[in-house]
Amino acid sequence: MSLLDDVAERDGWRCWVCDEPVDAEMSVNDPRGPSVDSRTADRKAKLTERLAHRACNTRKGAVKVVIAWPDRLHVIEPAPLITVAERLERKGGRELVARCPRRQDAQEAADWLVDRFSRLVPGLPVTASVEPGGGQFLVALAARR
């Protein structure tokens, strides 16, 4: 089995950047085709290979990756998820990542975040909590290192 197949199987054939499915039958030269990406540019760090669409991998080489929050979530001032992931991975702890107008909105965001982080930072046990605050609901992520 090739490195691409190993990484893709581990990642469930989902692109770590856009979180969309990657077609195993697509040519590796096609923009929607599979490619292996190292998530960090730090050569001294332990490189973690991840599955990405060819276009997502190429685009992230030119600009800093931004993990988009889904439009369906009602969040105010959402945190940049790559930055949050890097801090939680490095230090652990707890971070507030969004504010929501209703508890249901906050719970939907919390559920999405736990699911998304399971693929964004595999192996990092992330939990989410919803807390009332100032007439809104705060969404926090926590990870133990």
Side-chain angles (χ1 to χ4, degrees):
M1 199 177 234
S2 72
L3 174 63
L4 174 63
D5 290 332
D6 290 342
V7 171
E9 289 297 322
R10 185 198 66 215
D11 290 352
W13 288 96
R14 292 187 78 85
C15 175
W16 83 269
V17 177
C18 69
D19 204 35
E20 294 294 320
V22 177
D23 185 349
E25 302 301 316
M26 187 84 55
S27 167
V28 295
N29 296 318
D30 187 284
R32 297 296 292 169
S35 70
V36 174
D37 171 50
S38 59
R39 194 168 52 94
T40 179
D42 183 356
R43 298 289 180 217
K44 294 178 185 175
K46 180 181 174 187
L47 296 177
T48 303
E49 289 90 10
R50 304 300 306 272
L51 181 68
H53 291 109
R54 171 74 49 207
C56 292
N57 195 354
T58 302
R59 185 173 44 249
K60 85 161 199 54
V63 295
K64 186 169 178 146
V65 175
V66 173
I67 302 298
W69 287 69
D71 291 335
R72 65 180 168 76
L73 296 177
H74 300 285
V75 294
I76 302 163
E77 297 177 353
L81 296 181
I82 291 292
T83 304
V84 170
E86 289 170 350
R87 274 195 300 261
L88 288 177
E89 193 172 27
R90 186 176 61 250
K91 302 185 322 185
R94 180 177 175 272
E95 286 206 32
L96 294 176
V97 294
R99 296 181 295 130
C100 298
R102 300 178 314 144
R103 180 177 292 281
Q104 180 181 347
D105 297 330
Q107 190 59 56
E108 287 175 13
D111 294 343
W112 176 79
L113 284 163
V114 169
D115 178 60
R116 184 65 174 99
F117 269 66
S118 73
R119 290 182 300 283
L120 183 60
V121 192
L124 181 67
V126 174
T127 59
S129 61
V130 173
E131 303 162 11
Q136 301 174 16
F137 294 89
L138 307 173
V139 180
L141 287 179
R144 285 181 290 169
R145 279 315 296 150

